[in-house]
Amino acid sequence: MEILKECKKAEIFDLAGGLLCVAGVSSGPMGGILLTIPRSLNCQELGTCQVTFYDPSLGKLTCRCTLSSPLPLPDQKQSVRCDILEKLSQEQRREDVKVPVEVKVMLHVTHMPGDSVYVPASGWPAVIKNISAGGVYFSTDLVLPEQRMVRFDFREAGGSIPLTAQILRVDDVTERPSQPLYGYGCRFVNLQNRYENQLRNFVFQEERRRRNNR
């Protein structure tokens, strides 16, 4: 399936919604889909199942599928062919899943003519509260207006990702009068594809980790 050419990960569920395993995804002959799964999962007995594909460009795609043609692999793994019978749902790129985090970053703010905002060269401390492949929400005591551009490096996704974001919403989240605090809802701008894919993979993994810990 051409739209899954960048997909590397999937989750396989039974039709009742129970998670059976996490699978690796690759392309087979003639553009088919191959899944790498544990040998303990008997695809012939399984019949129809539900597979959620995590595609770094398109988001999360859930399909009704059949698995067939098992081929033994090392480390008690097997490769199986995955045939998609029906697309059940898709979370489009503009419907990105947000995951809560608590990550400290240093903000850098684009200077504007007549600017009263001063940020040292080392940056201004902020804390990311949630993040998706499309945007971020962070808090800081720095006063910033809507539409202002900010920059920071996100280092939690297997390498540093340089991010530029435009402020769309400003919230006063002060809890103590003596310590003003503001929340900023932002969208990413000019995000290169490789960094978007890296960030999207982080979000998928974090979402799965939180779901498994519930």
Side-chain angles (χ1 to χ4, degrees):
M1 192 172 185
E2 183 68 17
I3 64 171
L4 293 173
K5 64 181 180 180
E6 298 181 14
C7 182
K8 300 300 180 185
K9 296 180 182 179
E11 291 178 332
I12 301 175
F13 300 83
D14 59 30
L15 294 183
L19 178 63
L20 298 175
C21 70
V22 177
V25 182
S26 59
S27 297
M30 306 299 292
I33 300 171
L34 298 179
L35 301 182
T36 301
I37 62 175
R39 288 191 202 174
S40 57
L41 183 60
N42 190 326
C43 61
Q44 294 177 335
E45 292 182 358
L46 179 62
T48 304
C49 62
Q50 180 175 300
V51 181
T52 296
F53 297 95
Y54 294 90
D55 187 281
S57 296
L58 299 175
K60 187 163 66 173
L61 179 68
T62 300
C63 302
R64 187 167 61 88
C65 304
T66 58
L67 307 181
S68 62
S69 305
L71 177 67
L73 297 175
D75 301 322
Q76 294 301 308
K77 300 288 188 180
Q78 61 179 328
S79 174
V80 298
R81 174 174 172 165
C82 177
D83 290 306
I84 295 178
L85 304 178
E86 178 186 7
K87 186 174 80 170
L88 300 175
S89 67
Q90 182 176 2
E91 293 184 4
Q92 301 285 353
R93 295 176 62 145
R94 298 303 180 186
E95 299 169 349
D96 282 308
V97 174
K98 296 179 181 179
V99 291
V101 293
E102 193 78 10
V103 177
K104 295 180 180 179
V105 296
M106 297 299 288
L107 293 180
H108 299 273
V109 181
T110 303
H111 181 78
M112 304 292 289
D115 214 335
S116 61
V117 177
Y118 170 74
V119 176
S122 59
W124 196 279
V127 177
I128 296 176
K129 295 298 185 179
N130 65 59
I131 193 166
S132 73
V136 65
Y137 188 90
F138 64 83
S139 63
T140 178
D141 60 354
L142 181 65
V143 180
L144 295 168
E146 291 183 3
Q147 305 305 315
R148 181 59 64 93
M149 307 289 278
V150 297
R151 293 174 287 106
F152 60 90
D153 290 330
F154 187 73
R155 305 179 187 276
E156 304 298 310
S160 182
I161 303 177
L163 295 170
T164 300
Q166 183 179 36
I167 296 173
L168 302 181
R169 187 178 86 248
V170 182
D171 301 322
D172 188 338
V173 294
T174 300
E175 295 182 355
R176 299 179 182 179
S178 60
Q179 298 178 345
L181 190 65
Y182 306 96
Y184 296 93
C186 310
R187 68 177 176 187
F188 295 131
V189 297
N190 302 323
L191 182 57
Q192 295 182 24
N193 286 339
R194 66 188 180 103
Y195 291 131
E196 181 181 351
N197 293 344
Q198 188 178 346
L199 185 56
R200 193 179 298 279
N201 281 330
F202 167 81
V203 171
F204 287 158
Q205 293 171 11
E206 188 67 14
E207 181 194 23
R208 183 170 60 243
R209 182 188 67 81
R210 293 180 63 84
R211 185 171 63 244
N212 291 341
N213 289 340
R214 288 174 185 170

